[in-house]
Amino acid sequence: MLKLPWHMVLKAQGSAGDASGMALHGKVALVTGGAQGIGRAVAETLLKNEAKVSLVDLNQSVGEMCKKDLDQQYGEDNCIFIQCDVTDRGKLQEAFQSTVERFGRLDIVINNAGINNEKNWEKTIEVNLTSVIKGTYLALDHMSKEYGKEGGVIINVSSMAAFLHSPHQPVYTATKHGVIGFSRAMADASEQGQYGVRINTLCPAFVDTQLLRTVEHEETMGKFVKFKDEFKERMDKFGVLKPSLIAEGMMRIITDESLNGAVMKITCSKGIHFHTYEPLSA
Ligand SMILES: NC(=O)C1=CN([C@@H]2O[C@H](COP(=O)(O)OP(=O)(O)OC[C@H]3O[C@@H](n4cnc5c(N)ncnc54)[C@H](O)[C@@H]3O)[C@@H](O)[C@H]2O)C=CC1
Ligand SMILES: CC/C=C\C[C@H](O)/C=C/C=C\C=C\C=C\C(=O)[C@@H](O)C/C=C\CCC(=O)O
């Protein structure tokens, strides 16, 4: 397999770039939480690289606006928007099925939808962890060679909160730890079971999206809102990333076929890099 350095192959989002941008022609991606923020950024980069994209999101109005914008930029037949609550197993299953029926295949799944709500912490677990598990299993239903499919790649979105816990978001932090553990275990299962599906995790630091603004509000932070000043100090200290850099990291995971079980970290201080784990000792 010819392996070009990934930056030679892809058009980064938002830049003219002189890369061929043909890397993903004919590929189909499903992005949960794709209507805004990080999900929209990666959807744009996927479309720029000639993939077809299924935007799966709870927010009907924002999702329809996102699709309208992307249609204008990339043509009307290259993305669809499916209104779906990822915590609704049946609806999520239908979203996957509709995507395959519309585009004929599925190659890339990005379980990105997430919330930050310490008041309704059960919902946070449902969206950030349980639905990532559901989305991973549905992705395997449509991509795994164990079911006669052609293989593919899954990106589950965690956070640097899994490496630098904070008193402001204990349950959010727990869900992001869980995403890493589940994804690494599933990557091993995929390798040993010869599913042909690479499963990787992405851990951004602070990113300039709507989610980051929830830290100000009692209705999302509950009693932990009293720690918001410390949280904002931490944001000042570590900096805030652009969604486009997260999209760049995701494209690297998608195009580097050597990556399975990887935990990519993206921070202002170190950019795109990977967490290394000590080998298990007896
Ligand atoms: N913004 C940040 O600082 C960081 C975000 N992340 C993670 O990145 C992912 C994306 O977050 P952002 O783009 O920042 O947030 P965002 O709030 O801008 O976008 C999240 C999208 O997910 C959708 N969504 C929420 N609940 C849903 C549900 N039940 N079903 C379907 N869609 C749903 C929302 O409608 C929204 O369009 C999340 O998993 C988040 O935890 C990780 C590290 C840092
Ligand atoms: C309301 C906002 C919700 C979520 C935002 C996000 O998911 C939370 C992020 C929490 C922590 C971010 C930490 C950022 C750390 C860095 O930028 C590093 O450069 C330095 C810190 C530690 C490095 C630890 C390591 O790399 O293992």
Side-chain angles (χ1 to χ4, degrees):
M1 159 74 76
L2 171 65
K3 280 185 62 61
L4 293 175
W6 60 280
H7 62 281
M8 295 294 292
V9 174
L10 297 173
K11 283 180 183 172
Q13 189 222 3
S15 68
D18 56 2
S20 65
M22 294 287 284
L24 300 181
H25 184 76
K27 299 292 186 185
V28 177
L30 183 149
V31 182
T32 69
Q36 67 182 35
I38 292 167
R40 171 165 177 160
V42 70
E44 292 194 35
T45 304
L46 287 161
L47 289 164
K48 188 184 278 284
N49 285 280
E50 303 201 3
K52 305 290 189 185
V53 179
S54 177
L55 305 163
V56 175
D57 202 293
L58 180 67
N59 193 319
Q60 179 87 35
S61 57
V62 173
E64 286 174 349
M65 183 61 68
C66 177
K67 172 173 164 55
K68 185 179 175 190
D69 291 347
L70 297 182
D71 284 354
Q72 285 173 347
Q73 288 185 71
Y74 301 103
E76 293 194 3
D77 297 328
N78 296 317
C79 86
I80 58 175
F81 166 64
I82 300 172
Q83 194 280 331
C84 166
D85 179 347
V86 294
T87 67
D88 181 327
R89 180 191 296 268
K91 291 291 186 188
L92 187 60
Q93 191 166 14
E94 286 172 19
F96 274 80
Q97 191 57 40
S98 302
T99 299
V100 174
E101 284 168 4
R102 171 67 183 78
F103 291 124
R105 57 183 298 118
L106 187 62
D107 304 283
I108 302 159
V109 172
I110 302 177
N111 292 303
N112 164 75
I115 63 172
N116 175 59
N117 192 324
E118 295 297 331
K119 209 166 186 177
N120 186 352
W121 58 266
E122 296 91 339
K123 188 71 175 177
T124 299
I125 292 173
E126 272 191 270
V127 177
N128 294 11
L129 181 55
T130 309
S131 300
V132 168
I133 295 168
K134 287 177 191 165
T136 299
Y137 288 155
L138 284 167
L140 290 173
D141 288 348
H142 290 280
M143 300 195 297
S144 174
K145 292 181 179 176
E146 61 185 322
Y147 304 124
K149 307 300 182 183
E150 297 179 37
V153 58
I154 299 169
I155 300 175
N156 291 332
V157 179
S158 174
S159 163
M160 280 300 294
F163 295 97
L164 202 74
H165 61 274
S166 47
H168 342 74
Q169 41 184 181
V171 173
Y172 177 92
T173 299
T175 65
K176 295 306 183 176
H177 273 273
V179 168
I180 294 175
F182 168 73
S183 302
R184 292 184 74 216
M186 282 306 298
D188 286 356
S190 182
E191 187 172 339
Q192 293 178 31
Q194 297 179 321
Y195 298 170
V197 179
R198 299 183 292 112
I199 302 167
N200 296 288
T201 310
L202 186 135
C203 303
F206 303 112
V207 187
D208 183 16
T209 71
Q210 288 300 324
L211 184 81
L212 210 49
R213 296 167 183 78
T214 61
V215 75
E216 301 273 355
H217 307 301
E218 192 276 340
E219 61 267 23
T220 50
M221 301 306 290
K223 69 178 184 179
F224 304 105
V225 72
K226 70 182 178 186
F227 300 137
K228 71 177 181 183
D229 291 341
E230 184 192 338
F231 190 95
K232 288 158 80 172
E233 284 165 18
R234 188 171 277 195
M235 285 168 57
D236 292 341
K237 176 181 178 183
F238 295 133
V240 179
L241 300 157
K242 290 181 181 176
S244 56
L245 183 62
I246 314 311
E248 195 177 319
M250 289 183 176
M251 295 304 283
R252 180 167 177 184
I253 290 173
I254 290 165
T255 56
D256 184 343
E257 293 185 355
S258 69
L259 296 175
N260 182 43
V263 178
M264 178 183 277
K265 299 153 89 171
I266 305 181
T267 64
C268 292
S269 57
K270 296 181 183 176
I272 296 172
H273 62 295
F274 291 90
H275 189 73
T276 53
Y277 290 87
E278 292 300 316
L280 289 176
S281 54

